[in-house]
Amino acid sequence: MLRIINVVGARPNFMKIAPVIEEMRRRSSRIEPLLVHTGQHYDESMSDSFFEDLQIPRPDINLGVGSGTHSEQTARIMVEFERVLLEHPADWVVVVGDVNSTMAASIVAAKSLVRVAHVEAGLRSRDRTMPEEINRVVTDSLADLLLTPSRDADDNLLREGVAPHKIRFVGNVMIDTLYRNLERARASQVLDRFGLKPGQFCAMTLHRPSNVDNHETLSGILDALEVIGEQLPVVFPIHPRTRERLDQFGLTERIRKQSSLVLTEPLGYLDFLRLYSNSRLVLTDSGGIQEETTVLGIPCLTLRQNTERPITVTEGTNRVVGNDPAVITREALAALERQASPARVPELWDGHAALRIVDAIEEAS
Ligand code: UD1
């Protein structure tokens, strides 16, 4: 019996673990999965609602670490997760994505001599001012099995000297979740709730420190939204970090008065899927949304200087535009003029990545 501890912590982890856990449970005669939630994200809208929407079993263990500085959060996860590994001997620890929980659990597992499998290995922005880039580099350097979503990720790992036998190209597990839920999301009332018509609005998400932690940058992005809003309303679910910064910089009143902005709390998975899949254009600084819009053929502007997901630009609908308000405005207006190009789905983003992930873990055991 393979004992596998799966670790999640923050919102973008939940859609990646859902199909993996499901696949492990299907093999219950051979695999005994345990689900650990670090508690990095803890709001109902950032965590619980995803477990419900994606029908993920309740975590067996919640470490309840909450927010803090990077070091505080990472250290708390490490201390608590070490206890879990002592109490629950495991053959593998599976970590996903690039959040602090991913890196913290990998360090603990590696030092406890438990093998680490990293789902979404090999992505690189080559921008070490991003906390996620540090998390990726550390996690991949410790992982025993590196499960990659695209061929460029394999190339990155090989260039860094990772042994080829540790690398397995399995495809994109987020897209498993996307395909599984497209039909279910049709029942969401989100468009009616905000009075939106398909194809006649933009959707926006923003939470990167590089965009929201600086007053001038954040208010510049709001300037761009004002101009874009003259063409189409922009629906903006606000991440807790962004809400805090808007308050701190005294910008909350301003966005409330911007009539073309539709403001909301963070949305659940199904509501957000219904929303962006019907939008005319997405503006985001998220990683996963670049991939989801690519698969659905929705034009996407990424408000960052770089992307660790270049395939969404070369094969998909994504453009990396930075955070200069003049450039965002120009690119958004141009995108609204253009005909959307048809969806082109990258290799192995086929809805069966979880199957290949669990196969790879079993084969490596
Ligand atoms: C984290 C991930 C980021 C991911 C993002 C998705 C890291 C380094 N960053 O960023 O890669 O794209 O999640 O959302 O792991 N907060 C709440 N409620 C919550 C969670 C957070 O109010 O449930 C607030 C707290 O004030 C906290 C702040 O948001 O200090 C930031 O949370 P944190 O988990 O540190 O990072 P995120 O910005 O959410």
Side-chain angles (χ1 to χ4, degrees), residues 10-12 40-43 46 67-68 70 73 98-101 131-132 135 207-208 239-241 244:
R11 184 172 62 176
Q40 175 173 348
H41 283 174
Y42 44 85
D43 285 357
M46 298 295 287
S67 302
H70 284 277
Q73 194 173 57
D98 57 16
V99 303
N100 286 344
S101 301
E132 293 79 7
N135 294 340
H207 72 281
R208 294 267 162 228
H239 185 282
R241 170 193 283 279
E244 268 174 43

Side-chain angles (χ1 to χ4, degrees), residues 133-246:
E133 183 72 355
I134 314 269
N135 294 340
R136 293 182 199 115
V137 169
V138 173
T139 303
D140 285 342
S141 72
L142 298 174
D144 299 279
L145 184 59
L146 296 103
L147 301 154
T148 61
S150 48
R151 300 271 185 203
D152 56 281
D154 293 27
D155 295 341
N156 291 335
L157 294 170
L158 291 170
R159 255 199 309 272
E160 288 173 19
V162 176
H165 74 270
K166 291 187 183 176
I167 304 170
R168 287 289 291 269
F169 170 44
V170 292
N172 191 331
V173 76
M174 277 195 95
I175 305 306
D176 290 18
T177 301
L178 174 61
Y179 287 151
R180 264 169 229 197
N181 290 286
L182 261 180
E183 200 46 48
R184 293 178 67 225
R186 294 171 78 89
S188 156
Q189 301 296 310
V190 73
L191 302 184
D192 291 343
R193 192 182 342 142
F194 297 122
L196 301 166
K197 295 207 167 49
Q200 294 184 32
F201 62 92
C202 305
M204 152 113 168
T205 76
L206 200 68
H207 72 281
R208 294 267 162 228
S210 56
N211 283 329
V212 307
D213 283 3
N214 177 285
H215 185 164
E216 208 182 316
T217 308
L218 183 54
S219 98
I221 294 173
L222 299 181
D223 292 341
L225 288 185
E226 228 164 277
V227 183
I228 298 163
E230 287 166 15
Q231 305 297 316
L232 284 180
V234 181
V235 187
F236 183 14
I238 307 183
H239 185 282
R241 170 193 283 279
T242 310
R243 182 172 294 282
E244 268 174 43
R245 295 297 179 263
L246 288 164

Side-chain angles (χ1 to χ4, degrees), residues 61-75:
I61 299 169
N62 192 318
L63 306 180
V65 300
S67 302
T69 66
H70 284 277
S71 301
E72 285 166 349
Q73 194 173 57
T74 305

Side-chain angles (χ1 to χ4, degrees), residues 48-113:
D48 295 359
S49 84
F50 286 79
F51 280 75
E52 277 158 38
D53 276 3
L54 300 175
Q55 299 165 318
I56 308 171
R58 285 178 66 82
D60 298 289
I61 299 169
N62 192 318
L63 306 180
V65 300
S67 302
T69 66
H70 284 277
S71 301
E72 285 166 349
Q73 194 173 57
T74 305
R76 265 189 245 132
I77 298 167
M78 288 179 66
V79 170
E80 296 302 324
F81 189 59
E82 190 176 49
R83 287 201 189 114
V84 172
L85 281 190
L86 285 171
E87 279 167 31
H88 302 270
D91 300 295
W92 286 94
V93 167
V94 173
V95 294
V96 297
D98 57 16
V99 303
N100 286 344
S101 301
T102 312
M103 179 186 73
S106 305
I107 298 174
V108 175
K111 291 210 167 189
S112 309
L113 306 183

